């Protein structure tokens, strides 16, 4: 079955049709930069452009960078606060008539990684999946079962939220070397390791493709730390998978 997956992020909004049985993209990923401040109107306009780009008429799944319960946005740390309280699935369906579902972006990227990527071999373990972009997203997988809406990017470490300490935005804005940034990330991962003792931490997000540049600085962590495999398509694939599984329920 083909479902359109959309991944809404603090810096880009991306979409592609996905074969949900195999996790393959059925067309090139289409990406549009997220305009500041990421208001409802701005983001919905881009979602519409993505849907039109693929002439899409079927099911749609979307990942949103905040807490999402029953398709309703509860937080939007890196987008405009005017999102809070909105049912994004209803908005998409009202505009397009396409059935839609919305979930937290990191949960979706994690689901895709667990099914088709680096997490495949850890379905019987305790896995902490992290997506490191503008924010730090997190998803716990307890023997393959997702615990949704974990918000470890906002955990305060020495008085500062983890994502403000070691998000990829911090690296880019301050033009940090891989070593400097890697050490910041190490501190964050050490705290997660100490608090939750996962068996494995999978690092996703755009920066995961540069893992060989910073992985060596992630020392003194008990969990096995590995890079994600699906790179910048995990959020799209997970969005499509989750929509396919929940629409019609
Ligand atoms: C949000 C999370 C999201 C993460 C990655 C954080 O700021 O609170 O919900 O998963 O960014 O986008």
């Amino acid at each position: 079955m083909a479902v359109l997956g959309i991944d809404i992020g603090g810096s880009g909004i991306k979409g592609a049709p996905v074969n949900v049985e195999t996790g393959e993209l059925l067309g090139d990923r289409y990406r549009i930069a997220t305009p500041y401040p990421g208001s409802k109107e701005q983001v919905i306009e881009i979602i519409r452009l993505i849907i039109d780009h693929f002439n899409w008429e079927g099911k749609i799944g979307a990942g949103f960078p905040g807490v999402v319960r029953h398709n309703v946005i509860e937080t939007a740390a890196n987008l405009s606060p005017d999102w809070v309280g909105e049912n994004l699935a209803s908005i998409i369906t009202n505009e397009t008539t396409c059935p839609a579902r919305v979930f937290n972006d990191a949960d979706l990227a994690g689901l895709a990684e667990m099914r088709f990527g680096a997490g495949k071999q850890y379905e019987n373990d305790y896995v902490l999946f992290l997506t490191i972009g503008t924010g730090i997203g997190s998803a716990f997988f307890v023997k393959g079962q997702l615990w949704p809406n974990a918000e470890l990017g906002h955990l305060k470490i020495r008085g500062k939220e983890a994502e403000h300490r070691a998000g990829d935005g911090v690296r880019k804005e301050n033009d940090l070397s891989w070593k400097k940034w890697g050490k910041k990330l190490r501190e964050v991962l050490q705290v997660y390791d100490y608090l939750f003792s996962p068996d494995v931490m999978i690092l996703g997000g755009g920066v995961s493709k540069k893992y060989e540049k910073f992985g060596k600085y992630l020392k003194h962590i008990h969990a096995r730390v590995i890079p994600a495999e699906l790179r910048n398509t995990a959020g799209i694939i997970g969005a499509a998978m989750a929509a396919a599984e929940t629409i019609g329920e």
Side-chain angles (χ1 to χ4, degrees):
M1 188 207 301
V3 175
L4 181 66
I6 298 178
D7 183 12
I8 302 166
S11 59
I13 303 176
K14 312 123 230 172
V18 177
N19 174 331
V20 295
E21 279 88 32
T22 61
E24 277 163 334
L25 297 197
L26 298 169
D28 284 343
R29 198 178 75 115
Y30 185 54
R31 179 185 192 276
I32 299 176
T34 310
Y36 183 80
S39 69
K40 230 165 58 184
E41 208 177 313
Q42 289 171 320
V43 172
I44 290 165
E45 177 59 28
I46 294 176
I47 293 175
R48 204 191 333 238
L49 290 174
I50 293 174
I51 294 170
D52 290 349
H53 175 82
F54 293 105
N55 289 320
W56 194 256
E57 286 181 345
K59 296 179 182 177
I60 297 176
F64 186 91
V67 173
V68 183
R69 270 198 281 197
H70 309 296
N71 302 296
V72 176
I73 310 304
E74 294 191 359
T75 67
N78 293 308
L79 294 177
S80 158
D82 72 349
W83 275 106
V84 174
E86 294 294 334
N87 184 317
L88 179 54
S90 302
I91 296 176
I92 295 174
T93 303
N94 289 341
E95 300 232 345
T96 61
T97 73
C98 296
R101 291 288 184 274
V102 181
F103 302 91
N104 171 264
D105 60 348
D107 288 348
L108 296 178
L111 279 173
E113 261 323 310
M114 292 303 290
R115 178 127 5 129
F116 299 116
K120 263 190 308 201
Q121 52 186 312
Y122 299 113
E123 61 179 6
N124 294 315
D125 294 293
Y126 295 90
V127 178
L128 173 56
F129 172 81
L130 297 168
T131 166
I132 301 164
T134 312
I136 294 183
S138 52
F140 285 109
F141 290 89
V142 181
K143 300 189 175 208
Q145 286 293 312
L146 169 68
W147 176 304
N149 285 311
E151 286 284 330
L152 299 196
H154 299 292
L155 187 76
K156 278 199 179 156
I157 297 173
R158 289 190 296 113
K160 204 171 183 175
E161 289 190 18
E163 71 180 31
H164 296 152
R165 199 166 266 297
D168 199 34
V170 173
R171 181 184 67 82
K172 288 180 179 156
E173 275 156 34
N174 301 295
D175 203 15
L176 297 179
S177 65
W178 289 109
K179 184 173 182 183
K180 257 206 156 129
W181 179 74
K183 287 183 167 178
K184 289 179 185 289
L185 184 63
R186 170 169 78 195
E187 182 179 9
V188 167
L189 299 191
Q190 283 174 334
V191 172
Y192 295 166
D193 190 48
Y194 173 72
L195 290 179
F196 302 105
S197 297
D199 295 318
V200 186
M201 290 192 217
I202 303 179
L203 304 188
V207 79
S208 63
K209 57 178 178 279
K210 297 283 168 56
Y211 189 78
E212 79 285 353
K213 304 229 191 255
F214 63 88
K216 51 182 173 274
Y217 305 115
L218 305 178
K219 291 182 257 181
H220 309 300
I221 295 168
H222 298 95
R224 173 187 296 237
V225 181
I226 58 171
E229 284 170 7
L230 302 178
R231 309 286 158 90
N232 55 16
T233 59
I236 295 173
I237 297 169
M241 279 165 52
E245 279 163 23
T246 55
I247 290 174
E249 261 183 7

